[in-house]
């Protein structure tokens, strides 16, 4: 319990000024995005703000690591658009709550550790693709509605928008050279706000997207029939939403781990995210997950504790309740400039420096993941394809590395010392090492520097043993692991297993 609420342990080194200012900056950048995605999905605008408040508060307190920001993210909302159009928002709330239950289940059974299987090239592709999405999403702010149709700004409105965005970017770049006492993003938003307000510059504001005033999120049980048919309807949406949220969340957690040289708890993050989505389902929220853009804004503002996430969530609630008239007048140009700089900071520019040093297959995987992320906006699918291709490449490379050292001892026994893993991909190369007809009566295969990895390998050993037995020769297998020894029952009469020298193989897991 003490670790859970360490936020209030004043012996902990926390820069409260940075945390408060970072939280305010995060709130300012999160609100337009949550509003935009809510409107895109056909939800009431407040549903997006409620999600930003609920996700932000619950995950900041219960989440797997400090500094991670959650809100009403587009990655999860996009999954629910089809359900919203076909059955309405009540079914959406039910699907969000069910997704939360699935995410908690993943955390309880400690399955979050499997995010470690995501290779670095996939991470590069994921982050770079996301940076491009964040950047290109800002182009929408350079459009307006003309005769019911979306059209690009032109003339004076375009010059005003471009000038304010450029000024925002310039402030963010230049200010840190003079002082780092305050987040440059927040300073840029305030300066642009004042300039537009004082000079009366006509430009798009938050109010042009949607109104943000309202009350406290009300408790509400989704008005749907509680039946098996309903479960069959919403379960696929919930499953996909849970998967997308966990994938983006755990990859973001890994990214923050690398940036801060600390380690978060992936299973705790799964439980926190699921809890927040259950609250969303019963308090008019559209659901969400960790948001990499806002997380990077938070970290770049100097936050390293949970306080900034709590401040951001409470700020959004206060804006809903009291501050709508002020926030609705914030120029979208300022927020657009901030998000453009976030996109630039998100992009892994280091990937260009190492591209000539990386294996070609890793470069291919990274580019493919980035393209899928950009084209389909489906982070889960992009990562899944990247992991599968990386696994197949690894299997192919491992299959080529199996070797055998051969020699005959003084007693005339031939020895095969196997190097490299024996699994489905290396069986053909493994079988080519042996000369059953030319070998002496006694032959020993040592697996001291090898590993029998799967059922295909065990089947290959059984068949090889039978071939030697049919030729009237004796084959002995040494240094097999205990699990393989139990499975080799068909060849018990001709197999000799050295259980004394047999190494034990364990898999590192997260407690």
């Amino acid at each position: 319990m003490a670790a859970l609420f360490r936020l209030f342990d004043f012996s902990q080194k926390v820069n409260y000024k940075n945390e408060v200012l970072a939280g305010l900056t995060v709130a300012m950048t999160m609100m337009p995005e949550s509003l935009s995605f809510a409107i895109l999905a056909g939800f009431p605008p407040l549903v997006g703000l409620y999600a930003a408040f609920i996700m932000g508060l619950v995950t900041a307190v219960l989440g797997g690591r400090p500094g991670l920001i959650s809100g009403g993210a587009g990655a999860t909302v996009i999954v629910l658009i089809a359900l919203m159009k076909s059955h309405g928002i009540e079914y959406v709330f039910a699907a969000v709550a069910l997704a939360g239950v699935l995410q908690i289940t993943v955390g309880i059974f400690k399955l979050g550790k499997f995010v470690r299987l995501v290779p670095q090239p996939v991470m590069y592709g994921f982050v770079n693709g996301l940076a491009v999405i964040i950047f290109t999403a800002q182009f929408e702010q350079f459009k307006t509605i003309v005769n019911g149709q979306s059209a690009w700004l032109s003339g004076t409105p375009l010059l005003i928008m471009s000038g304010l965005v450029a000024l925002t970017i310039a402030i963010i770049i230049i200010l840190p050279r003079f002082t780092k006492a305050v987040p440059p993003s927040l300073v840029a938003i305030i300066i642009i706000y004042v300039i537009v307000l004082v000079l009366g510059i006509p430009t798009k504001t938050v109010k042009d997207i949607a109104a943000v005033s309202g009350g406290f999120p009300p408790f509400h049980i989704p008005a749907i029939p509680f039946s098996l048919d309903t479960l069959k309807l919403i379960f696929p949406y919930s499953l996909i939403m849970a998967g997308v949220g966990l994938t983006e969340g755990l990859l973001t957690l890994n990214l923050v781990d690398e940036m801060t040289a600390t380690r978060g708890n992936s299973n705790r993050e799964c439980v926190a995210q699921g809890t927040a989505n259950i609250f969303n389902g019963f308090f008019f929220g559209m659901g969400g997950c960790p948001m990499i853009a806002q997380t990077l804004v938070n970290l770049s503002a100097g936050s390293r504790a949970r306080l900034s996430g709590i401040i951001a969530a409470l700020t959004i609630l206060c804006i809903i309740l009291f501050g709508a008239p002020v926030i609705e007048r914030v120029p979208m140009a300022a927020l657009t400039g901030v998000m453009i700089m976030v996109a630039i900071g998100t992009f892994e520019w280091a990937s260009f420096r190492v591209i000539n040093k990386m294996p070609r297959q890793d470069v291919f995987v990274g580019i493919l993941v980035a393209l899928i992320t950009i084209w389909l906006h489906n982070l889960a699918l992009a990562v899944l394809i990247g992991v599968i291709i990386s696994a197949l490449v690894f299997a192919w490379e491992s299959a080529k590395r199996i070797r055998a050292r051969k020699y005959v001892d003084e007693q005339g026994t031939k020895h095969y010392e196997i190097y490299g893993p024996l699994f489905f991909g290396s069986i053909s190369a493994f079988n080519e090492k042996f000369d059953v007809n030319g070998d002496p009566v006694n032959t020993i295969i040592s697996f001291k520097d090898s590993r029998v990895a799967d059922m295909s390998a065990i089947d290959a050993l059984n068949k090889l043993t039978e071939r030697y037995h049919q030729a009237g020769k004796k084959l002995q297998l040494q240094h097999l692991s205990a699990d393989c020894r139990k499975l080799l029952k068909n060849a018990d009469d001709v197999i000799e297993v050295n259980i004394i020298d047999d190494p034990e193989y364990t898999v590192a897991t997260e407690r």
Side-chain angles (χ1 to χ4, degrees), residues 411-474:
Q411 287 75 33
T413 300
K414 188 169 183 179
H415 293 259
Y416 289 86
E417 293 182 351
I418 306 300
Y419 298 87
L422 180 60
F423 67 108
F424 67 91
S426 59
I427 289 173
S428 297
F430 173 77
N431 287 329
E432 293 174 358
K433 310 295 181 186
F434 300 95
D435 181 11
V436 178
N437 296 325
D439 283 348
V441 175
N442 293 317
T443 301
I444 297 176
I445 304 177
S446 172
F447 288 90
K448 183 178 180 180
D449 296 302
S450 181
R451 169 67 172 161
V452 179
D454 57 14
M455 281 301 300
S456 298
I458 292 174
D459 182 65
L461 289 178
N462 273 319
K463 291 179 180 178
L464 183 63
T465 303
E466 291 173 1
R467 286 170 56 196
Y468 274 94
H469 188 58
Q470 291 172 359
K473 300 175 181 180
K474 184 177 182 181

Side-chain angles (χ1 to χ4, degrees), residues 185-507:
S185 299
L186 182 59
V187 174
I189 292 172
I190 293 173
I191 291 176
I192 300 301
Y193 182 96
V194 172
I195 291 175
V196 170
L197 185 63
V198 172
L199 299 181
I201 299 175
T203 186
K204 186 188 297 185
T205 62
V206 171
K207 187 177 182 179
D208 295 323
I209 298 179
V212 297
S213 60
F216 193 84
F219 177 76
H220 169 74
I221 298 176
I224 60 171
F226 292 90
S227 64
L228 184 60
D229 290 337
T230 301
L231 180 62
K232 290 179 181 179
L233 172 66
I234 67 174
F235 183 79
Y237 294 98
S238 300
L239 183 63
I240 297 173
M241 177 184 172
V244 170
L246 291 179
T247 301
E248 184 168 358
L250 295 179
L251 288 178
T252 305
L253 184 142
N254 271 9
L255 183 65
V256 178
D257 286 352
E258 293 180 8
M259 294 179 64
T260 61
T262 57
R263 183 176 179 182
N265 187 319
S266 57
N267 295 312
R268 180 173 168 179
E269 182 61 35
C270 294
V271 173
Q273 191 177 148
T275 303
N277 276 321
I278 290 176
F279 275 106
N280 269 297
F282 290 98
F283 285 91
F284 273 94
M286 66 181 183
C289 67
M291 304 173 74
I292 189 170
Q294 279 66 31
T295 298
L296 291 171
V297 168
N298 190 43
L299 295 177
S300 64
S303 171
R304 292 297 182 270
R306 298 179 183 273
L307 182 58
S308 61
I310 297 175
I311 292 294
L314 294 179
T315 299
I316 291 174
L317 178 62
C318 290
I319 290 170
I320 295 172
L321 298 177
F322 313 111
V326 176
I327 298 303
E328 287 176 350
R329 300 181 70 176
V330 172
M332 287 304 301
L335 302 177
T336 300
V338 170
M339 297 307 294
I340 288 175
M341 291 305 297
V342 167
I344 294 173
T346 302
F347 198 91
E348 284 282 1
W349 300 101
S351 58
F352 287 125
R353 293 197 299 267
V354 301
I355 194 168
N356 292 330
K357 302 176 183 178
M358 295 171 63
R360 285 177 297 177
Q361 58 268 23
D362 286 347
V363 174
F364 170 75
V365 168
I367 294 175
L368 180 64
V369 171
L371 291 177
I372 295 175
T373 303
I374 295 168
W375 186 257
L376 299 179
H377 288 207
N378 191 327
L379 307 181
L381 178 63
V383 171
L384 178 62
I385 292 176
V387 170
I388 291 174
I389 295 177
S390 296
L392 292 175
V393 170
F394 173 79
W396 176 257
E397 294 297 323
S398 299
K400 297 190 297 184
R401 289 192 176 95
I402 194 165
R403 299 287 186 271
R405 177 174 175 262
K406 310 171 187 178
Y407 66 92
V408 179
D409 63 17
E410 297 176 352
Q411 287 75 33
T413 300
K414 188 169 183 179
H415 293 259
Y416 289 86
E417 293 182 351
I418 306 300
Y419 298 87
L422 180 60
F423 67 108
F424 67 91
S426 59
I427 289 173
S428 297
F430 173 77
N431 287 329
E432 293 174 358
K433 310 295 181 186
F434 300 95
D435 181 11
V436 178
N437 296 325
D439 283 348
V441 175
N442 293 317
T443 301
I444 297 176
I445 304 177
S446 172
F447 288 90
K448 183 178 180 180
D449 296 302
S450 181
R451 169 67 172 161
V452 179
D454 57 14
M455 281 301 300
S456 298
I458 292 174
D459 182 65
L461 289 178
N462 273 319
K463 291 179 180 178
L464 183 63
T465 303
E466 291 173 1
R467 286 170 56 196
Y468 274 94
H469 188 58
Q470 291 172 359
K473 300 175 181 180
K474 184 177 182 181
L475 177 65
Q476 297 172 309
L477 308 180
Q478 290 184 331
H479 303 298
L480 284 167
S481 58
D483 54 344
C484 299
R485 196 161 35 87
K486 292 178 182 178
L487 293 172
L488 289 169
K489 294 180 179 179
N490 293 336
D492 277 344
D493 56 335
V494 291
I495 292 177
E496 179 183 311
V497 180
N498 187 338
I499 62 174
I500 298 176
D501 295 334
D502 185 45
E504 289 192 13
Y505 301 89
T506 58
V507 178

Side-chain angles (χ1 to χ4, degrees), residues 32-55:
E33 188 168 339
S34 298
L35 285 169
S36 298
F37 282 119
I39 295 170
L40 174 67
F43 303 148
L46 275 177
V47 171
L49 293 184
Y50 286 153
F53 162 65
I54 295 171
M55 290 296 303

